[in-house]
Amino acid sequence: MVEVAVLVDITRCIGCRACQMSCKQWWRLEPSETSFSPTITNPPKRDEHTYLNVEYHEVIGDDGRLSWNFVHKRCFHCVDPVCVSVCPVAAMRKTPDGPVVWDEARCMGCRYCAQACPFRIPNYQFHSLWPEVSKCWFCWDRIAEGLQPACSKACPPKAIEFGEREAVLAEAHRRIEEFPEKYVDYVYGEKEAGGTSLFYISGVPFEQLGFNMAVPHEPLPELTWEFLSKIPFEAAAIIGSMTAIWYIRGRALQDLPEKDEAGHE
C-alpha cells in the first residue's frame, strides 16, 4: 500500500481556518468556549475539542518589515512513530497507508504516547473518568475510502495538499528550488524523528514560527527502548498496576454505547 502525506505551504495560508472547522465538522467535535492568544490564535491550544488549529505568528524580518504568518498545526504521523513503540498494549498503531490511530478499547491510560511524542501532540482528558487520547487522526476513514482528509479538501488557497508521500515531498523540493527567493531552503518534517507524513515549507525561518528544531533526525523508537531498558525493576510493579487498570477499563467499555466510524455515540 502506498503511504500518503500532506504538504503545508505556509506562504499560501490566509488564516481562514477552514481546515480547523472542517476537522471539527467531520469528527463531530463538540463546541467549546475559546479565547485568543496575544497574536489572535484561536483556540490557542489543541485539545479534545480541536484536533488541529491555525497558529498566528507575527515576525519582523531582517529588513524591519512585519509579516503575519499562519501555521496549520497537528499530528505529524511519523513514519516510525515513537508513540506506537512506547504503548505497552498496542493501543496506538500506524496503518499501512500512514495515519497513526488509537484503539480506545486497548488503552490503559498510561499516557506514554503523550510523554514520548517529540512534537508534544497527543492530548489526554485529565478531567474525565474514562479519558480519551485526542489528536489529528489523519481522517483515516476518509483515506480508506479513497478520499482526501477533510482539512485539505476544505483549504481554499490550496495551502494544504494531499497525495502520495514521495510525490508530496518532491513537490515541496520543487517549489523551493524553483522559487528560492520565496522559501527557506528546508522542508520541515522530512528529517525530523526519522521522517513524518506532514511536510512544511515556509518563507520565514521555522524557529520563528514555533517549530521545534531540536527534534532528532533519527527514528526515535530505538532511543526510547534503550532508555526503557534501564528502568529499574520497581517499574514492573507500576506496569502491572496499569495493566490491571487496562483490564478493568476494557471490561467497562464493553458496557458503553457503541460509537460510529467518526468515534461518536
Side-chain angles (χ1 to χ4, degrees), residues 32-220:
S32 61
E33 185 174 353
T34 62
S35 61
F36 289 97
S37 76
T39 57
I40 318 182
T41 296
N42 186 356
K45 296 181 179 180
R46 295 169 295 279
D47 56 22
E48 68 267 31
H49 304 296
T50 306
Y51 290 171
L52 65 87
N53 68 339
V54 179
E55 296 179 353
Y56 291 14
H57 293 269
E58 294 178 347
V59 177
I60 299 177
D62 294 336
D63 58 359
R65 299 180 62 180
L66 175 69
S67 66
W68 212 10
N69 303 272
F70 314 111
V71 187
H72 163 103
K73 290 282 186 72
R74 62 182 178 85
C75 177
F76 281 77
H77 297 274
C78 299
V79 173
D80 196 357
V82 68
C83 60
V84 172
S85 70
V86 299
C87 183
V89 293
M92 299 290 285
R93 64 181 178 85
K94 186 173 178 66
T95 66
D97 48 358
V100 176
V101 298
W102 174 68
D103 187 338
E104 180 181 11
R106 287 177 172 268
C107 184
M108 65 179 188
C110 68
R111 305 164 201 171
Y112 282 180
C113 55
Q115 296 300 319
C117 176
F119 304 105
R120 295 288 184 265
I121 294 295
N123 289 291
Y124 200 81
Q125 294 175 318
F126 290 94
H127 56 80
S128 173
L129 292 176
W130 299 107
E132 296 182 356
V133 174
S134 62
K135 72 176 190 68
C136 158
W137 303 116
F138 209 166
C139 288
W140 60 269
D141 49 347
R142 292 177 59 91
I143 292 175
E145 295 296 326
L147 303 173
Q148 62 176 307
C151 60
S152 59
K153 175 71 174 179
C155 183
K158 304 298 181 186
I160 306 170
E161 296 193 54
F162 170 79
E164 295 183 6
R165 186 175 185 276
E166 293 305 316
V168 167
L169 182 57
E171 173 62 15
H173 282 288
R174 184 196 67 77
R175 293 184 193 179
I176 292 174
E177 293 175 2
E178 189 168 345
F179 304 102
E181 74 288 353
K182 182 178 180 181
Y183 296 103
V184 173
D185 186 14
Y186 192 76
V187 179
Y188 192 94
E190 179 181 11
K191 299 177 181 177
E192 281 69 24
T196 76
S197 300
L198 177 60
F199 305 121
Y200 290 90
I201 53 177
S202 172
V204 173
F206 288 100
E207 55 268 30
Q208 297 183 34
L209 300 177
F211 286 84
N212 183 1
M213 304 306 292
V215 175
H217 286 185
E218 63 267 32
L220 297 178

